């Protein structure tokens, strides 16, 4: 009975306490309100209710959220309305409301002024830790115009900055008193750009080389994007006092971090919680120590030609991606291959080798072309001799002749023609082999660049993760859950991650240099490449998944490998080149064997003409017939080599040795092709497995990291375990991102050994390739 009475007494007391729990109606004063502000208001409401919890009932009503639209008179009316209605606590936000609130000599209702202006122009005593005023407190942000302008100057070295702020605030605030000393200290000029609409800003950018958004909190996302586009078009670096959402929308930089708004909400909530639990507003801290951290839009900085300074990277966050925003040319894999085939200097040089062997063929054939020689001479003969020559050798004479030679048959000429033709074909096959190599090198460079691009992005995200873990370490240190060594460990890790990111970015730049070299572009050309996926874009129609299915089936794998080896040997330009060289060598053997006994037959004709005769002995004695001034002769020449100092036998032996060497090289090349194809297939099998397993590994590593972060924040695990989890996640991301690229690299490597690139052949040719495999499979069965 006594227990029942105790229970009843407890329930009665609980019921009585519930009945007396105090309720507070909160009113909100705003300078402006847009659709983007509503979610923030809801966040603040939810945060306050969650923090206050069971201590009191907190009520927000739409009718007590009042907006002045930058009108001082309206701001006064709104404040008076909340003083006169049921509102218990007043939250005031904005410059106009701060003007009205600060005019008050006393505060009838508890009033909290927040987010009014930053510390550079706050008309309050910054040395005071509390307001000291009954029913009143305020929050002063630690960010400042001065620090922002200093950071912008460090980034851009600007000479004149446009300071962008709402027209209504310009009318209220004495901005020149604030900005003149700042800019004078920086040795720069400035101008105020007041705005009521975005067009007020974009039409007033002519005489500045940097822009600072000192207001603009209520700008819509589309308006920020429009502004960013205007800045980029005019190559004007931009900086904003607002959060990183504006940087993500295209503004170049900010000195705010992503969690500043969360800090702000927590402080508001804690102030109200403390108040409802009995702590007067006059005794509560007024200062918010925001985390200042430079955040840069990587792509915007490139577009406005502001290089990222490595000295700032350790204290800088980045948004955007590593797409080259200023690229002059955009390439996909096919355009890279086409560009290399069209412009690569190595291939152009090899093409000249083919042209030269073509000339060698023409030279060999020219042995069967007639040779016509013209000669002229002038002769002076001793007069004594001329006198007794009976007119045959006059003292002075001039003469000329035409000699025609024509080879009718020559075994050495025939052999040379055949040899040069085969050498030309071999040179063409060497070119084809180099062309296949160049295609693969270009593809490999393309995918390697994608890998490096992904690596740079992952290193950037990992750096951000390290920064987040450092914050956890700092929070644990402040809470007494860990020692200072954890913070030092993460600071060291952050320095290492920063260096890894710098190296990743530079490696990406080096990859672009290599691509420019392959494409015969000027090395400094800004280029970018498109990402690839096996089931999208240019790879969609080539059914690489069918290769995966064939290799995944152990019964089909070996026949498929045998078929690929057969195709590779049939297509291999290296084997074809060796074959043509063998034919040339065999022709040389034949020439120095039975061919040596074949005669060389040639025709020769000559026409002689005496142009003049004078001096002693120029006339014929009486009774001697006159020699005609013109005469000709025709002859047939047949020759057979009998013995040539044994050189013919030596040449034959040399050719036989060369043939043996070529046959050895042919067998070795065929063996290498078999090994290369088989190894490539095994590599592909590894990559197929890697693609699926890396997905599982990344998901597992990410979940493990999240759990470890939570455990570390609660003091359940140590810093080494958190670092291990982070590194595991980093490696898993790299493996998963690179898996598809590595698979495609290996697939193209296999195609190189096949001498057949599916991407560069028509659909009908690829269908015929598959049909040949089916026929091969049927024959095997």
């Amino acid at each position: 009975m006594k227990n029942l009475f105790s229970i009843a007494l407890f329930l009665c007391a609980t019921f009585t306490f519930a009945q007396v729990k105090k309720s507070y109606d909160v009113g909100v004063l705003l300078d402006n309100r847009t659709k983007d502000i509503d979610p923030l208001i809801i966040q603040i409401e939810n945060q306050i209710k969650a923090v206050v919890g069971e201590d009191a009932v907190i009520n927000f009503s739409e009718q007590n959220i009042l907006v002045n639209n930058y009108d001082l008179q309206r701001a006064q009316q709104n404040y008076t309305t909340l003083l006169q209605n049921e509102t218990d606590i007043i939250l005031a936000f904005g410059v106009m409301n701060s003007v009205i609130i600060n005019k008050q000599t006393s505060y009838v209702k508890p009033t909290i002024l927040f987010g009014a202006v930053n510390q550079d122009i706050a008309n309050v005593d910054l040395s005071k830790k509390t307001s000291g005023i009954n029913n009143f407190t305020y929050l002063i942000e630690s960010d400042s115009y001065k620090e922002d302008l200093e950071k912008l100057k460090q980034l851009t070295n600007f000479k004149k900055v446009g300071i962008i702020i709402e027209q209504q605030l310009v009318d209220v605030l004495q901005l020149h008193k604030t900005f003149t000393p700042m800019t004078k200290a920086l040795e720069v000029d400035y101008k105020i750009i007041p705005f009521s609409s975005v067009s007020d800003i974009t039409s007033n950018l002519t005489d500045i080389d940097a822009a600072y958004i000192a207001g603009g909190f209520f700008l819509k996302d589309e308006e920020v994007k429009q502004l960013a586009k205007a800045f980029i078009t005019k190559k004007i670096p931009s900086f904003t006092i607002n959060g990183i959402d504006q940087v993500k929308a295209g503004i170049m930089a900010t000195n705010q971090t992503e969690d500043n708004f969360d800090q702000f909400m927590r402080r508001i909530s804690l102030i109200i919680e403390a108040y409802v639990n009995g702590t007067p507003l006059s005794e509560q801290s007024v200062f918010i120590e925001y985390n200042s951290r430079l955040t840069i839009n990587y792509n915007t900085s490139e577009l406005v030609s502001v290089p990222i300074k490595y000295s700032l990277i350790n204290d800088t966050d980045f948004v955007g991606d590593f797409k080259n925003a200023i690229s002059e040319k955009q390439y996909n894999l096919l355009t890279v291959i086409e560009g290399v085939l069209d412009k690569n200097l190595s291939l152009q040089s090899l093409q000249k080798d083919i042209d030269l062997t073509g000339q060698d063929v023409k030279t060999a054939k020219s042995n069967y072309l007639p040779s016509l020689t013209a000669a002229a001479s002038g002769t002076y003969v001793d007069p004594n001799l001329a006198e007794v020559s009976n007119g045959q050798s006059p003292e002075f004479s001039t003469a000329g002749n035409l000699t025609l030679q024509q080879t009718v048959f020559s075994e050495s000429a025939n052999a040379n023609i055949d040899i040069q033709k085969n050498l030309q074909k071999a040179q063409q096959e060497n070119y084809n082999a180099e062309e296949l190599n160049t295609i693969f090198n270009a593809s490999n460079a393309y995918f390697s660049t994608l890998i490096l691009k992904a690596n740079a992005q992952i290193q950037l995200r990992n750096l951000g993760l390290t920064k987040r873990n450092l914050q956890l370490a700092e929070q644990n240190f402040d809470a007494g859950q860990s020692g200072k060594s954890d913070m030092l460990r993460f600071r060291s890790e952050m320095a290492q991650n920063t260096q890894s990111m710098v190296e990743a970015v530079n490696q990406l730049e080096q990859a672009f240099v290599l691509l420019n070299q392959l494409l015969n572009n000027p090395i400094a050309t800004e280029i970018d490449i498109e990402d690839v996926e096996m089931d999208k874009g240019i790879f969609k129609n080539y059914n690489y998944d069918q290769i995966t299915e064939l290799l995944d089936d152990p019964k089909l794998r070996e026949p498929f490998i045998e078929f690929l080896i057969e195709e590779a040997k049939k297509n291999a330009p290296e084997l074809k080149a060796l074959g043509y060289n063998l034919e040339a060598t065999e022709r040389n053997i034949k020439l120095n064997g039975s061919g040596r006994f074949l005669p060389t037959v040639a025709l020769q004709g000559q026409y002689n003409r005496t142009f003049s005769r004078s001096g002693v002995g120029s006339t014929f004695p009486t009774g001697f017939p006159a020699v005609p001034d013109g005469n000709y002769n025709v002859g047939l020449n047949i020759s057979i080599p009998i013995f040539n100092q044994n050189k013919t036998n030596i040449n034959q032996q040399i050719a036989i040795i060369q043939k043996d060497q070529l046959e050895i090289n042919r067998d070795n090349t065929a063996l290498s092709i078999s090994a290369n194809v088989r190894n490539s297939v095994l590599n592909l099998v590894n990559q197929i497995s890697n693609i699926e397993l890396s997905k599982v590994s990344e998901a597992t590593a990410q979940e493990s990291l999240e759990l470890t972060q939570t455990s570390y924040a609660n003091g359940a695990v140590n810093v080494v375990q958190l670092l291990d989890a982070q590194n595991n996640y980093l490696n898993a991301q790299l493996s998963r991102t690179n898996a598809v690229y590595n698979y495609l690299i290996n697939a193209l490597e296999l195609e190189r050994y096949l001498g057949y690139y599916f991407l560069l052949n028509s659909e009908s040719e690829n269908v015929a390739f598959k049909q040949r495999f089916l026929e091969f499979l049927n024959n095997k069965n």
Side-chain angles (χ1 to χ4, degrees):
M1 188 69 179
K2 182 177 180 181
N3 288 339
L4 290 174
F5 178 77
S6 299
I7 293 171
L9 184 63
F10 173 76
L11 291 174
C12 181
T14 302
F15 178 75
T16 302
F17 175 78
Q19 289 283 15
V20 299
K21 186 164 61 171
K22 193 167 182 180
S23 177
Y24 294 87
D25 290 326
V26 179
V28 180
L29 298 176
L30 300 172
D31 279 354
N32 194 6
R33 187 174 184 180
T34 66
K35 64 178 182 179
D36 297 325
I37 296 300
D38 289 339
L40 302 182
I41 295 174
I42 293 172
Q43 280 184 265
I44 293 174
E45 292 178 5
N46 293 336
Q47 179 81 7
I48 291 173
K49 290 177 180 179
V51 171
V52 173
E54 296 298 323
D55 295 342
V57 176
I58 304 297
N59 299 313
F60 287 86
S61 62
E62 183 64 29
Q63 65 182 14
N64 285 337
I65 300 176
L66 306 178
V67 183
N68 62 55
N69 292 318
Y70 298 109
D71 185 326
L72 275 176
Q73 186 176 355
R74 182 68 178 274
Q76 180 63 62
Q77 292 172 357
N78 290 343
Y79 182 56
T80 302
T81 298
L82 294 184
L83 291 177
Q84 295 174 350
N85 66 15
E86 73 284 358
T87 298
D88 298 304
I89 300 174
I90 299 173
L91 302 181
F93 177 84
V95 175
M96 297 300 178
N97 287 318
S98 72
V99 171
I100 298 302
I101 300 301
N102 284 321
K103 284 181 180 180
Q104 308 304 310
T105 57
S106 63
Y107 297 89
V108 179
K109 292 185 177 181
T111 302
I112 306 170
L113 178 64
F114 61 91
V117 291
N118 70 26
Q119 60 175 302
D120 294 320
I121 55 176
N123 53 349
V124 294
D125 186 353
L126 295 179
S127 65
K128 297 173 68 174
K129 294 183 178 179
T130 64
S131 71
I133 302 172
N134 186 44
N135 269 346
F136 178 66
T137 191
Y138 50 84
L139 292 179
I140 297 298
E141 303 167 352
S142 62
D143 59 321
S144 78
Y145 297 141
K146 181 175 181 291
E147 291 178 5
D148 285 355
L149 289 174
E150 287 174 348
K151 192 68 73 175
L152 180 58
K153 172 78 174 193
Q154 187 178 4
L155 286 172
T156 66
N157 199 30
F158 69 86
K159 300 301 180 185
K160 184 175 183 180
V161 61
I163 298 173
I164 299 166
I165 196 164
E166 288 85 350
Q167 177 68 63
Q168 300 90 335
L169 303 187
V170 174
D171 296 337
V172 173
L173 302 173
Q174 295 181 332
L175 294 176
H176 287 288
K177 289 185 178 181
T178 300
F179 287 110
T180 298
M182 293 180 192
T183 54
K184 186 175 181 180
L186 291 173
E187 298 181 345
V188 297
D189 196 6
Y190 78 98
K191 77 171 183 178
I192 302 295
I193 303 178
F195 75 94
S196 298
S197 65
V198 172
S199 61
D200 295 334
I201 304 171
T202 56
S203 62
N204 200 10
L205 302 175
T206 53
D207 56 343
I208 61 173
D209 58 351
Y212 176 46
I213 304 176
F217 180 81
F218 295 101
L219 285 170
K220 300 175 183 176
D221 287 344
E222 288 303 316
E223 291 175 322
V224 175
K225 290 177 182 177
Q226 185 180 346
L227 261 183
K229 185 177 181 180
F231 294 145
I232 290 170
T233 300
K234 294 181 178 293
K235 298 285 186 181
I236 296 176
S238 53
F239 204 98
T240 178
I241 195 172
N242 302 303
I244 68 171
D245 285 342
Q246 290 192 352
V247 177
K248 290 178 179 178
I251 301 302
M252 188 189 78
T254 184
N255 213 25
Q256 301 291 316
T257 59
E258 202 159 9
D259 61 349
N260 280 0
F261 184 71
D262 294 334
Q263 285 183 262
F264 170 76
M265 288 196 301
R266 283 195 297 271
R267 281 298 306 278
I268 293 295
S269 303
L270 291 171
I271 287 173
I272 293 179
E273 180 199 28
Y275 173 76
V276 301
N277 285 314
T279 303
L281 294 182
S282 60
E283 298 177 8
Q284 299 201 37
S285 174
V286 299
F287 200 75
I288 300 181
E289 185 61 49
Y290 278 166
N291 296 320
S292 293
R293 189 168 184 86
L294 183 64
T295 301
I296 294 177
N297 187 308
Y298 182 87
N299 304 117
T300 301
S301 68
E302 280 198 327
L303 289 169
V304 297
S305 302
V306 174
I308 304 298
K309 294 183 178 180
Y310 291 139
S311 59
L312 298 175
I313 285 182
N314 197 49
D315 299 313
T316 303
D317 295 326
F318 293 92
V319 299
D321 52 37
F322 282 92
K323 179 178 180 180
N324 190 347
I326 57 174
S327 61
E328 302 168 36
K329 298 180 180 180
Q330 184 85 9
Y331 291 97
N332 60 31
L333 180 56
L334 283 181
T335 54
V336 164
I337 291 173
E338 290 167 358
V340 166
L341 293 180
D342 181 51
K343 297 170 60 180
N344 183 263
L345 294 178
S346 295
L347 287 180
Q348 291 180 22
S349 177
L350 283 175
Q351 181 60 55
K352 295 302 179 184
D353 287 340
I354 297 174
D355 296 340
L356 288 173
T357 56
Q359 297 304 311
D360 291 338
V361 173
K362 291 180 180 179
T363 300
K365 289 181 177 179
S366 69
N367 287 324
Y368 277 108
L369 296 177
S371 172
L372 180 63
T373 305
S377 63
T379 305
Y380 171 74
V381 178
D382 184 336
N384 295 325
L385 179 61
E387 186 177 3
V388 298
S389 68
N390 296 321
Q392 299 298 314
S393 298
E395 183 181 3
F396 299 99
S397 64
T398 59
N401 63 70
L402 289 174
T403 302
L404 177 66
Q405 292 180 325
Q406 172 69 61
T407 300
V408 177
F409 175 81
S410 172
E411 177 61 9
S412 63
N414 292 340
N416 191 32
I417 292 172
D418 293 338
I419 289 170
Q420 295 303 325
K421 284 182 177 179
N422 282 315
L423 291 179
Q424 183 185 33
K425 292 176 182 178
Q427 188 61 49
Q428 179 63 56
E429 293 303 331
N430 289 334
Y431 176 87
N432 293 341
E434 187 59 29
E435 188 176 61
L436 291 172
N437 289 335
T438 302
I439 292 171
F440 175 71
N441 290 338
S443 303
N444 193 25
Y446 185 91
F447 286 117
S448 296
T449 304
L450 285 177
I451 289 173
L452 292 171
K453 195 173 185 179
N455 180 51
Q457 292 170 333
I458 291 171
Q459 293 294 346
L460 177 60
R461 291 198 297 269
N462 186 58
L463 178 60
L465 183 57
T466 302
K467 293 171 184 175
R468 173 59 184 154
N469 288 338
L470 174 59
Q471 290 175 351
L472 290 177
E474 290 171 342
Q475 292 169 6
N476 281 1
F477 176 71
D478 292 339
Q481 293 179 348
S482 65
K484 191 174 182 180
S485 60
D486 284 13
M487 290 192 303
L488 297 176
R489 180 69 182 272
F490 275 115
R491 285 173 184 167
S492 173
E493 189 74 13
M494 191 163 69
Q496 295 174 29
N497 293 163
T498 300
Q499 181 61 28
S500 296
M501 193 196 77
V502 171
E503 291 175 358
V505 172
N506 287 333
Q507 287 170 356
L508 178 59
E509 291 298 323
Q510 290 172 337
F512 283 131
V513 168
L514 176 59
L515 276 177
N516 275 329
Q517 184 178 1
L518 289 171
L519 291 163
N520 193 20
N521 289 333
I523 295 300
T525 303
E526 294 287 349
I527 62 173
D528 202 7
I529 57 176
E530 297 177 6
D531 202 353
V532 297
E533 295 182 47
M534 284 194 296
D535 57 348
K536 294 181 181 178
I538 61 174
F539 287 93
K540 184 176 182 180
N541 299 325
Y542 293 94
N543 299 322
Y544 279 86
D545 55 340
Q546 291 184 3
I547 297 178
T548 303
E549 293 172 5
L550 289 170
L551 296 179
D552 197 40
D553 188 339
K555 293 181 180 180
L556 291 177
R557 185 185 302 165
E558 189 57 36
F560 185 54
I561 293 174
E562 291 178 10
F563 167 73
L564 293 179
I565 291 173
E566 184 179 289
E567 285 286 312
K569 290 180 179 179
K570 183 172 65 176
N571 295 332
E574 295 88 351
L575 288 178
K576 293 178 181 178
L578 288 169
Y580 289 126
N581 280 312
L582 271 171
E583 290 182 24
T585 303
E586 288 169 351
R587 187 68 180 87
N588 195 20
I589 292 172
K590 182 180 178 182
L591 170 65
N592 290 285
S594 60
R596 77 176 74 178
F597 301 112
L598 294 176
T600 299
V601 181
L603 288 174
Q604 181 174 328
Q606 187 174 48
Y607 175 77
N608 304 299
R609 179 75 179 180
T610 300
F611 299 123
S612 65
R613 299 162 57 89
S614 62
V616 177
S618 61
T619 58
F620 295 94
T622 304
F624 283 82
V627 177
D629 291 335
N631 63 84
Y632 66 91
N633 61 76
V634 177
L636 176 65
N637 182 26
I638 299 176
S639 64
I640 298 176
I642 303 300
F643 186 75
N644 186 25
Q645 300 173 325
N646 203 35
K647 290 182 179 178
T648 302
N649 290 330
I650 294 172
N651 290 336
Q652 185 183 40
Q653 290 303 313
I654 291 173
I656 291 172
I657 294 171
Q658 289 174 336
K659 178 185 176 183
D660 292 341
Q661 185 183 41
L662 288 169
E663 287 175 342
I664 292 171
N665 289 340
R666 182 181 61 185
D667 294 341
N668 186 45
T669 301
L671 190 63
S672 296
I673 289 172
S674 300
N676 289 336
V677 169
R678 190 171 291 274
N679 287 331
S680 292
V681 168
L682 293 175
N683 288 336
L684 270 182
V685 173
N686 290 337
Q687 295 305 326
I688 291 168
S689 173
N690 187 37
I691 287 174
E692 297 306 319
L693 294 179
S694 64
K695 293 178 183 177
V696 176
S697 178
E698 182 186 26
T700 303
Q702 183 178 11
E703 184 176 359
S704 175
L705 174 62
E706 291 169 353
L707 292 173
T708 307
Q709 281 180 320
T710 302
S711 298
Y712 180 78
N714 295 326
V717 299
N718 59 38
V719 65
V720 175
Q721 291 168 291
L722 180 55
L723 280 171
D724 286 344
Q726 180 180 342
N727 290 329
N728 287 340
Y729 181 50
L730 170 65
N731 293 328
Q733 287 182 95
L734 292 171
S735 297
R736 199 274 307 166
T737 303
N738 298 343
V740 171
Y741 300 144
N742 287 328
Y743 171 82
L744 291 173
I745 288 174
N746 279 276
L748 288 168
E749 182 182 47
L750 175 59
E751 292 175 21
R752 163 60 190 96
Y753 294 136
L754 289 176
Y756 184 94
Y757 287 104
F758 291 98
L759 286 173
L760 304 181
N761 286 280
S762 66
E763 185 177 353
S764 60
E765 289 171 323
N766 292 336
V767 169
F769 184 92
K770 296 171 188 176
Q771 186 62 37
R772 288 198 299 274
F773 171 64
L774 295 176
E775 292 173 0
F776 178 87
L777 197 60
N778 289 333
N779 293 334
K780 290 287 289 184
N781 296 332

